[in-house]
Amino acid sequence: MQTVSKWHEALNTKNKEILGSLVAKNVGMSGPKGDVEGVNVMLDWVSRANITLEPISYFQFRDTVVVEECATWHDIETGAEISSASVATVFILANGFITAIQRHNNLREALQAASLTEKHRVDYK
């Protein structure tokens, strides 16, 4: 859980060095635009997306963590908010590293994809 929390902090501050240190070299990412792989691809996405993800709630079972998040996209030039939405992300961990990041349009989809339920909700700040 701590690794996922650190990932969010690094994403939101655009700290690519820390982001890269938290994921496996071949980290898989999936979302609305398809599937990709690799730490460099993830770091390129961070630059292009200009997104912040503020965690709302956490769910965990073993090495699978689902985070419900408030996503906010920002204009690259001005930093102004372009849009926001409630999303959820599934993180798969192994040996202390994030090996997969799967973005979903809502919490229900993410929990279903991770085979988790409301009973897996954990308190984490």
Side-chain angles (χ1 to χ4, degrees):
M1 183 77 77
Q2 186 176 10
T3 301
V4 172
S5 179
K6 286 180 180 180
W7 184 90
H8 279 86
E9 290 172 22
L11 173 73
N12 292 338
T13 59
K14 308 289 186 266
N15 189 326
K16 291 183 180 182
E17 185 176 334
I18 292 177
L19 276 169
S21 74
L22 296 171
V23 301
K25 289 186 192 294
N26 64 341
V27 62
M29 292 180 58
S30 61
K33 296 185 179 180
D35 301 335
V36 294
E37 185 177 290
V39 66
N40 289 332
V41 174
M42 182 198 69
L43 296 176
D44 288 343
W45 167 80
V46 169
S47 296
R48 283 191 325 277
N50 211 26
I51 189 172
T52 55
L53 295 172
E54 293 298 330
I56 297 168
S57 60
Y58 293 88
F59 302 79
Q60 182 175 18
F61 183 70
R62 297 191 178 140
D63 288 335
T64 300
V65 177
V66 173
V67 184
E68 180 183 23
E69 304 146 326
C70 178
T72 305
W73 290 267
H74 304 272
D75 182 91
I76 290 178
E77 306 259 332
T78 66
E81 182 179 321
I82 296 172
S83 66
S84 64
S86 179
V87 299
T89 306
V90 178
F91 294 88
I92 308 297
L93 296 106
N95 300 317
F97 294 97
I98 297 169
T99 60
I101 302 168
Q102 306 163 353
R103 214 261 313 190
H104 295 272
N105 291 325
N106 58 58
L107 179 60
R108 182 186 53 76
E109 286 179 11
L111 290 173
Q112 185 176 12
S115 298
L116 301 182
T117 65
E118 188 65 36
K119 76 176 185 176
H120 295 102
R121 183 184 292 265
V122 294
D123 290 328
Y124 188 81
K125 302 225 183 242

